[in-house]
Amino acid sequence: MPSRWRPHHGFTLLELLVVMVIIGLLVGYVGPRYFAQIGKSEIKAARAQIDGFEKAIEQYRLDVGKFPTNEQGLNALYVRPLSEPRWQGPYLKKAPPLDPWGNLYLYRTPGANGDFEIISLGKDGAPGGDGEAADIGL
């Protein structure tokens, strides 16, 4: 004879709420640490790209006898400028990429502290800033 009383299999609302609170606490604790690591890796990637640009610019200078002009910019490392018969590039494998935040790198010659400078304006894309929004250069 079948029994009328069947035990319910599942969780109560209270048990579900407790689990959700625990998950929320874990996300609140781990989430900021995870996203801080992403920001640090973007800064490291920007520095590595700038370092690669600097090496390519030095090779360009050895071949051409001068640094690319501000008007030529970093594109002179990939596409031959019409006014440079001694160009032996390309000095980069592909066109200069955007920085990790999707902004153009700034190239200036002469630079503030040397013959040239290459700068990423950071996450905010504006000069200055702190943390991830700080300007990045070598």
Side-chain angles (χ1 to χ4, degrees):
M1 178 174 229
S3 168
R4 292 184 172 241
W5 184 82
R6 293 184 199 166
H8 293 285
H9 298 289
F11 299 104
T12 66
L13 181 60
L14 181 61
E15 290 170 328
L16 289 174
L17 289 173
V18 167
V19 169
M20 290 180 67
V21 166
I22 291 171
I23 291 172
L25 289 172
L26 287 173
V27 168
Y29 179 73
V30 173
R33 294 174 190 267
Y34 173 76
F35 289 112
Q37 293 302 320
I38 290 175
K40 288 178 185 176
S41 66
E42 289 171 333
I43 292 169
K44 287 180 183 178
R47 285 193 177 126
Q49 285 179 332
I50 290 170
D51 183 54
F53 293 147
E54 288 185 347
K55 290 175 182 168
I57 287 173
E58 290 295 338
Q59 185 62 47
Y60 178 99
R61 184 187 62 82
L62 290 172
D63 290 346
V64 175
K66 61 182 180 176
F67 293 107
T69 65
N70 289 327
E71 292 77 29
Q72 293 168 335
L74 295 175
N75 285 329
L77 301 174
Y78 185 67
V79 177
R80 174 188 221 123
L82 297 175
S83 61
E84 301 300 345
R86 294 173 38 196
W87 190 85
Q88 296 178 23
Y91 301 95
L92 297 173
K93 291 182 180 178
K94 56 185 178 177
L98 299 175
D99 72 8
W101 300 278
N103 302 313
L104 291 172
Y105 284 96
L106 300 179
Y107 168 77
R108 294 183 206 139
T109 185
N113 299 317
D115 294 323
F116 66 91
E117 66 182 342
I118 303 168
I119 299 171
S120 168
L121 295 177
K123 186 175 185 175
D124 64 353
D130 295 322
E132 289 181 40
D135 296 348
I136 301 166
L138 295 179

